[in-house]
């Protein structure tokens, strides 16, 4: 395997360093404080634990299957066909992934019938809504990379559409489908905010149970034991989801999209409309008070003159953007630099596998002054964001990299090109679409992230998500509409970033 | 008395009363420094307050302290109150700051047991005795009550008498009307659970069973209950567990504003209240104990106390500070709230939460 490209462990050092710093070491330090092997068995006897584990598994499976089913058609249309508004559609499908959960929850409750509020159905719908983006982003590039001539050939030879799908499309994408499925399963099985806000009271995933034990009940030992069990389970899922399959080289990397035609455009637009509904209801919520339209929430934010609402919204936008930029650059540079195989592949997935509650608490006890005191350092937040985004950045890049014909490298090597030169002039240009994806996803994750880093102390200016939380802690019309307006700003920033990056891909 | 009608007036008043206060605070600080031999003469460049996320004092709230001492004040947002205390317990003795703002009586004992605080009760005048007597390791800074609120218009339109007590809530008249928060995930929900525990003693779970049979809805957080379930904000439940100071907030932030003199649009069931008291304390391991104590004095003092009420919607713990006009107009005085000592809460909370969770 390594004959065509020498192993360059030094390329993998940054990803290992980042994940070790921001995820593994803190979790290990916390575990070293509060771990007893007997707990691995005992914890199952505590009330709520077996139920939480079972709920994580079955709900995760159902959510994953539903997400793949719902996302399949739009992903196919968007990645292989051209139609007016394709970029907008792409952005619309990505946005839910980054919306603050509290915003999605209120949006869902405003349009679901009230008997579905706080139901398992609401949780499943929200999981599908959140994760369509993962499928579009992970499977899309692989689908787009299939040479149209293969389909032409299949058709010419008389293959039915179904046969074409099974024998031409499926082999080219199954690896990325497995990857997407594994990612979606993990996101849903470890779901925190959606389950808290939309699930029936008393419904727990393992992740909410870890939080409940560590923070509310003071049962740190139990929480750490559960987190360890969860990590092992997730690593197993990832291993199954990303088992090395036969390489699926595409003869070409050029992407030429055919016009979509009316029917396909209609389907894609319908799905986008459905996905956009909760986000539209968010914008509406920022402009509605009782039964009339109002701009008071926006005015309170922008004019800084409403009594009792002390929010410097410009500062919050700047802070959020700076964090997002740092997180995106760090995660993407690391992902592109890394080989994405072997140790790097495993390490790059660990941030998904390790409970963010444990990481958050771990950072507090790890960097507490011996020898470093980083607690409250402003850069800790974007660095942790980068670590959280690393699995997504790495996977976007490695899926694309796997599709690069290796002959190109052989040719470059034969012509005497040194490894760095091969990287710059062969690999990097071919990776450009994946780089855009990695930047967009990482920036979006950083912008919307609240759960994992809410345990980190922040001493600088608040981010937009913190402003939303602060406004929502006050009673009254104006704080609520101002919170919805802040969430709308977050939404607009995300859409702009994703669309701007897609522009660079499209040309 | 016009402190909340015009921001500029408030500012001017604060400044004009500043000088005597500064003098008083300085001499107090000097006195306490004399009586204490542990590194209290230091004057750091800045002090850090660790606070919950929703701690949003108005701009310039620490200026008086900085002017007086030359010490800047930095605020670190540490998550919600429960997260803040869990983190502080993990790093007790090696804190993230010098002073903690906002540990309440439901969490206090957990923090004390973990050795989070360097005991200090501010000697500053005016702090209500019943609050001060709760603990001598920390200083009370504000209080409020968690009570059932109701949507006045909804109840009137449906010809329902507002409830006044916990017992009322199990009556068929209020079937399917109440939403509360899960005590295992929400501090508001926890306070309401403690009220029922005080009221009904060992029979408290039976009370919850009757609530449930009467169509109680339980959601995970206050903003979920208040903004998604409460009828006033478009939900379908006209009774919600919230705060005694939620009605003034509704009036202040109403959009469009209500006409002058209009009664509050939400009411409070005054017999359902649990008293929450928040404290400030010096974090054990602070390198500037003397300065940190002066900061706690400042937090409990009149200047700061007069500025937080309408930012945090809490009553000042300092009785020399008059609560804002909006509180007097719209927040009922809770005469006899349910209370429980921090020791009793700490000793039983986990058991009660487990019992509540596995209630059948």
């Amino acid at each position: 395997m390594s004959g065509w490209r020498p192993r360059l462990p030094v390329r993998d050092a940054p990803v290992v360093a980042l994940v070790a710093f921001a995820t593994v070491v803190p979790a290990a330090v916390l575990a070293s404080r509060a771990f007893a092997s007997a707990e691995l068995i005992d914890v199952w006897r505590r009330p709520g634990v077996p139920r939480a584990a079972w709920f994580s598994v079955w709900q995760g499976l159902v959510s994953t299957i539903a997400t793949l089913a719902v996302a399949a058609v739009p992903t196919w249309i968007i990645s292989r066909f051209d139609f007016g508004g394709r970029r907008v559609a792409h952005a619309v499908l990505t946005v839910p992934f980054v919306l603050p959960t509290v915003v999605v929850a209120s949006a869902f409750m405003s349009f679901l019938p009230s008997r579905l509020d706080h139901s398992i159905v609401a949780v499943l719908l929200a999981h599908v809504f959140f994760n369509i983006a993962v499928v579009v982003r992970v499977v899309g590039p692989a689908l787009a990379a299939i040479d149209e001539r293969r389909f032409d050939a299949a058709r010419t030879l008389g293959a039915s559409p179904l046969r074409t799908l099974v024998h031409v499309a499926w082999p080219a994408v199954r690896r990325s489908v497995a990857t997407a499925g594994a990612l979606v399963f993990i996101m849903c099985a470890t779901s925190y905010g959606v389950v808290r806000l939309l699930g029936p009271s008393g419904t727990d995933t393992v992740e909410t149970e870890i939080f409940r034990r560590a923070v509310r009940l003071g049962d740190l030992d139990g929480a750490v034991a559960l987190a360890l069990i969860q990590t092992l389970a997730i690593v197993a899922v990832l291993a199954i989801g990303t088992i090395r399959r036969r390489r699926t080289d595409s003869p070409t990397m050029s992407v030429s999209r055919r016009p979509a035609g009316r029917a396909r455009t209609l389907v894609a637009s319908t799905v986008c409309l459905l996905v956009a509904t909760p986000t539209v209801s968010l914008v509406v919520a920022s402009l509605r008070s009782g039964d009339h339209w109002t701009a008071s929430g926006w005015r309170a934010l922008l004019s800084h003159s409403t009594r009792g609402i002390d929010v410097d919204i410009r500062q919050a936008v700047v802070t959020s953007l700076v964090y997002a930029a740092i997180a995106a650059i760090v995660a993407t540079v690391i992902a592109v630099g890394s080989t994405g195989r072997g140790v790097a592949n495993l390490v790059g997935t660990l941030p998904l596998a390790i409970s963010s509650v444990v990481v958050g608490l771990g950072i507090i006890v790890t960097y507490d002054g011996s020898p470093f005191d980083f607690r409250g350092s402003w850069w800790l937040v974007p660095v942790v964001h980068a670590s959280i985004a690393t699995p997504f950045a790495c996977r976007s890049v490695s899926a694309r990299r796997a599709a690069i014909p290796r002959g190109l490298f052989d040719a470059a090597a034969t012509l005497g090109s040194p490894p760095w030169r091969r990287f710059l002039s062969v690999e990097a240009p071919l990776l450009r679409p994946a780089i855009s994806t990695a930047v967009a996803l990482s920036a979006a994750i950083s912008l919307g992230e609240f759960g994992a880093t809410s345990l980190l102390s922040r001493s600088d200016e608040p981010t937009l998500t913190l402003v939303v939380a602060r406004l929502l802690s006050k009673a009254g019309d104006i704080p609520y509409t101002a919170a919805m307006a802040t969430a709308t700003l977050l939404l607009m920033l995300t859409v702009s970033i994703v669309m701007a990056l897609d522009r660079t891909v499209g040309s | 008395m016009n402190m909340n009608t015009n921001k500029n007036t408030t500012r001017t008043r604060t400044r004009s009363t500043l000088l005597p206060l500064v003098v008083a605070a300085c001499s107090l600080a000097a006195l306490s420094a004399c009586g204490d031999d542990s590194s209290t003469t230091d004057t750091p460049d800045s002090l850090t307050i660790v606070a919950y996320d929703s701690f949003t004092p108005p701009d310039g709230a620490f200026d008086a302290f900085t002017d007086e001492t030359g010490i800047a004040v930095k605020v670190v947002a540490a998550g919600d109150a429960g997260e803040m205390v869990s983190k502080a317990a993990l790093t007790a003795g090696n804190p993230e700051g010098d002073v903690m703002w906002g540990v309440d009586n439901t969490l206090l004992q957990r923090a004390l047991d973990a050795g989070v605080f360097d005991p200090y009760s501010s000697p500053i005048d005016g702090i209500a005795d019943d609050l001060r007597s709760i603990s001598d390791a920390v200083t009370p800074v504000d209080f409020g009550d968690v009570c059932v609120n109701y949507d006045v218009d909804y109840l009137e339109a449906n010809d329902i008498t507002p409830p006044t007590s916990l017992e009322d809530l199990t009556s068929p008249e209020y079937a399917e009307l109440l939403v509360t928060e899960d005590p295992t995930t929400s501090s508001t929900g926890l306070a309401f659970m403690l009220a029922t525990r005080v009221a009904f003693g060992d029979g408290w779970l039976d009370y919850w069973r009757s609530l449930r049979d009467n169509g109680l809805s339980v959601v995970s957080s206050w903003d979920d209950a208040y903004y998604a379930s409460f009828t006033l904000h478009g939900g379908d439940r006209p009774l919600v567990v919230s705060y005694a100071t939620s009605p003034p907030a509704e009036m202040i932030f109403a959009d469009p504003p209500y006409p002058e003199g209009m009664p509050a649009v939400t009411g409070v069931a005054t017999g359902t209240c649990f008293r929450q008291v928040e404290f400030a304390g010096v974090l054990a391991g602070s390198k500037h104990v003397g300065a940190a104590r002066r900061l706690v004095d400042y937090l409990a003092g009149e200047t700061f106390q007069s500025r937080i009420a309408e930012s945090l919607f809490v009553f000042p713990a300092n009785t020399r500070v008059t609560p804002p006009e909006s509180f007097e107009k719209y927040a009922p005085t809770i005469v006899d709230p349910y209370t429980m000592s921090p020791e009793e809460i700490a000793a039983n909370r986990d058991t009660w939460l487990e019992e509540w969770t596995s209630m059948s």
Side-chain angles (χ1 to χ4, degrees):
Chain A
M1 255 342 259
S2 59
W4 62 283
R5 182 166 54 180
R7 285 186 70 85
L8 291 170
V10 69
R11 287 179 62 178
D12 290 331
V15 69
V16 173
L18 174 70
V19 172
F21 173 81
T23 304
V24 176
V25 170
V29 169
L30 187 72
S32 74
R33 280 217 188 174
F35 178 71
S37 52
E39 281 288 311
L40 289 176
I41 311 292
D42 284 351
V43 76
W44 292 100
R45 296 200 196 103
R46 313 247 164 98
V49 172
R51 210 176 40 175
W54 169 235
F55 179 70
S56 281
V57 171
W58 80 255
Q59 163 277 119
L61 282 173
V62 174
S63 299
T64 307
I65 293 166
T67 307
L68 287 172
V70 172
V73 172
T75 307
W76 171 261
I77 296 174
I78 282 184
S79 55
R80 294 210 56 88
F81 298 94
D82 221 348
F83 55 97
R86 200 184 72 86
R87 278 195 203 117
V88 178
H90 213 176
V92 164
L93 292 178
T94 307
V95 162
F97 189 64
V98 303
L99 285 180
T101 336
V102 63
V103 170
V104 175
S106 26
F108 264 71
M109 280 194 278
S110 64
F111 87 99
L112 281 180
S114 66
R115 73 193 158 82
L116 286 183
D117 284 0
H118 306 295
S119 65
I120 305 287
V121 174
V123 170
L124 296 177
L125 282 176
H127 280 163
V128 171
F129 174 78
F130 267 113
N131 289 303
I132 286 178
V134 176
V135 181
V136 173
R137 292 282 168 178
V138 174
V139 180
L143 259 180
I146 306 174
D147 193 330
E148 187 61 35
R149 284 170 294 182
R150 288 192 177 191
F151 292 104
D152 293 341
R155 269 190 293 270
T156 315
L157 293 170
S160 67
L162 184 67
R163 249 184 109 75
T164 315
L165 195 69
V166 171
H167 290 286
V168 180
W170 177 245
V173 299
R174 64 180 178 196
R175 187 186 149 124
S176 59
V177 170
T179 302
L183 287 178
V184 173
F185 175 79
I186 290 162
M187 302 292 283
C188 298
T190 63
S191 175
Y192 183 84
V194 169
V195 172
R196 268 278 158 278
L197 294 172
L198 285 173
S201 148
T203 309
D204 281 291
T205 56
V206 175
E207 185 72 16
T208 61
E209 185 67 15
I210 291 171
F211 183 87
R212 201 169 73 93
R213 301 216 153 264
V215 173
R216 305 283 171 224
L217 299 178
D219 176 18
L220 196 56
D221 296 15
V224 166
L226 265 187
L228 185 63
I229 294 167
Q230 178 169 271
T231 301
L232 295 175
I234 291 174
V235 169
V237 170
L238 280 168
I240 295 166
T242 57
I243 273 175
R244 182 67 42 77
R245 292 194 167 78
R246 204 167 52 80
R247 283 178 60 86
T248 47
D249 289 357
S250 283
T252 175
M253 293 292 291
S254 72
V255 175
S256 59
R257 295 191 180 87
R258 292 193 294 140
R262 202 171 292 162
R264 293 197 184 95
T265 309
L266 191 69
V267 171
S269 314
T270 310
V271 173
C272 288
L273 274 181
L274 283 177
V275 169
T277 309
T279 49
V280 170
S281 66
L282 165 67
V283 180
V284 171
S286 78
L287 294 166
R288 291 288 281 181
S289 171
D291 50 6
H292 68 279
W293 296 94
T294 176
S296 302
W298 285 96
R299 211 175 305 127
L301 274 191
L302 301 175
S303 72
H304 205 278
S305 63
T306 304
R307 186 157 63 105
I309 310 261
D310 276 303
V311 175
D312 188 344
I313 195 69
R314 262 181 306 178
Q315 189 63 61
V317 168
V318 170
T319 308
S320 286
L321 285 179
V322 169
Y323 283 9
I326 295 174
I329 292 168
V330 170
T332 308
V333 166
I334 283 178
V336 172
S338 134
T339 58
R341 297 185 300 147
V343 175
N345 182 38
L346 174 71
V347 167
T349 58
L350 282 177
L352 272 181
I354 299 180
S355 158
S356 53
V357 178
V358 167
V359 171
L361 293 174
I363 284 177
I364 296 154
V365 298
T366 307
Y367 306 115
D368 65 344
S370 44
F372 309 108
D373 196 347
F374 296 147
R375 295 172 302 176
S377 302
W378 70 271
W379 52 265
L380 199 52
V381 176
V383 166
V384 172
H385 285 172
S387 178
I388 294 168
T390 295
F392 298 91
C394 283
R395 259 139 225 285
S396 316
V397 172
S398 65
R400 180 80 181 178
R401 183 179 274 137
I404 300 178
R406 63 176 92 161
L408 286 177
F409 291 101
D410 297 341
T414 315
L415 293 170
S417 162
W420 62 268
R421 180 84 204 228
R422 263 175 276 161
F423 172 73
L424 279 183
S425 49
V426 179
E427 196 172 358
L430 289 173
L431 286 179
R432 253 183 61 197
I435 291 173
S436 296
T437 300
V439 170
L441 274 184
S442 316
I445 287 170
S446 169
L447 278 176
E449 212 282 328
F450 188 68
T453 40
S454 74
L455 281 170
L456 299 181
S457 300
R458 290 135 299 166
S459 58
D460 53 339
E461 298 299 329
T463 55
L464 287 168
T465 43
L466 183 55
V467 170
V468 175
R470 281 183 174 171
L471 287 167
L472 279 180
S473 72
K474 288 188 164 83
D477 296 330
I478 294 181
Y480 184 73
T481 46
M484 294 300 112
T486 310
T488 304
L489 269 179
L490 195 54
L491 176 82
M492 294 185 325
L493 281 179
T494 310
V495 177
S496 319
I497 288 176
V498 172
M499 285 182 69
L501 289 167
D502 278 353
R503 194 170 296 273
T504 66
V505 189
S507 52
Chain B
M1 270 325 296
N2 60 345
M3 58 192 301
N4 63 343
T5 51
N6 180 323
K7 209 171 181 179
N8 294 325
T9 320
T10 316
R11 288 241 165 99
T12 328
R13 285 175 71 90
T14 316
R15 290 221 176 103
S16 64
T17 53
L18 209 66
L19 196 62
L21 251 175
V22 167
V23 175
C26 284
S27 43
L28 255 176
L31 275 175
S32 65
C34 290
D36 185 13
D37 51 9
S38 65
S39 69
T40 50
T41 48
D42 61 337
T43 307
D45 291 338
S46 71
L47 285 170
T48 300
I49 297 181
V50 178
Y52 45 68
D53 282 346
S54 53
F55 179 63
T56 49
D59 286 346
F62 299 108
D63 289 356
F65 181 77
T66 306
D67 291 348
E68 166 202 325
T69 60
I71 303 170
V73 177
K74 207 167 79 171
V75 177
V76 163
D80 67 24
E83 291 165 7
M84 175 176 80
V85 170
S86 301
K87 289 161 59 180
L90 275 176
T91 55
N94 182 17
E96 291 193 84
D98 305 288
V99 167
M100 177 181 282
W101 169 281
V103 55
D104 72 11
N105 49 333
T106 67
L107 293 163
L108 177 63
Q109 195 60 41
R110 186 161 150 204
L112 293 175
D113 292 344
V116 165
F117 292 109
D118 189 36
Y120 175 66
S121 178
S122 171
I124 201 161
D125 286 338
I127 297 170
D129 288 337
D130 58 328
L131 303 183
R132 196 195 281 281
S133 64
I134 296 174
S135 168
D136 52 13
V138 285
T139 305
V141 282
D142 66 63
F143 69 93
D145 295 288
V146 169
C147 316
V148 172
N149 285 24
Y150 54 85
D151 179 343
V152 174
D153 279 355
Y154 181 98
L155 294 192
E156 265 175 22
N158 292 275
D159 217 7
I160 301 170
T161 327
T164 57
S165 67
L166 291 174
E167 288 85 353
D168 285 353
L169 300 171
T170 59
S171 120
E173 197 181 1
Y174 305 107
E176 310 275 329
L177 298 189
L178 175 65
V179 57
T180 187
E181 300 85 4
D182 186 335
T184 67
T185 54
S186 153
S187 57
T188 325
L190 177 64
F192 183 66
M193 185 192 91
L194 293 173
T196 67
R197 173 70 217 187
V198 181
F200 301 103
D202 289 339
W204 72 290
L205 283 173
D206 291 331
Y207 174 74
W208 277 90
R209 285 186 193 100
S210 340
L211 277 185
R212 196 185 51 195
D213 295 345
N214 206 26
L216 172 75
S217 165
V218 181
V219 298
S220 60
S221 67
W222 175 85
D223 50 86
D224 197 7
Y226 202 82
Y227 284 122
S229 300
F230 191 31
T231 45
L232 193 76
H233 292 281
D236 57 5
R237 301 265 165 172
L239 306 181
V240 60
V241 173
S242 186
Y243 296 84
T245 49
S246 302
E250 280 297 342
M251 300 310 282
I252 288 175
F253 293 125
D255 178 30
Y258 293 113
E260 193 64 31
M262 182 176 153
V265 292
T266 54
V268 172
T270 52
T272 62
C273 301
F274 185 83
R275 169 119 335 153
Q276 264 186 334
V277 184
E278 293 189 333
F279 303 87
V282 176
L283 288 165
S286 160
K287 293 188 181 69
H288 312 289
V289 176
R293 290 179 174 191
R294 289 170 73 182
L295 182 54
V296 171
D297 294 344
Y298 178 78
L299 295 176
E302 289 179 50
T303 311
F304 190 77
Q305 291 268 305
S306 67
R307 303 198 62 184
I308 53 162
E310 279 191 353
S311 287
L312 305 179
F313 287 93
V314 288
F315 282 92
N318 193 319
T319 52
R320 295 185 172 188
V321 174
T322 322
E325 194 187 340
S326 63
F327 284 23
E328 305 216 323
K329 264 179 31 200
Y330 304 118
T333 311
I334 308 302
V335 186
D336 194 17
Y338 294 111
T339 59
M340 190 184 281
S341 73
E343 293 85 354
E344 191 180 356
I345 296 172
N348 298 292
R349 192 188 53 176
D350 295 356
T351 316
W352 291 336
L353 286 176
E354 299 280 19
E355 284 174 8
W356 184 90
T357 309
S358 43
M359 171 178 63
S360 54

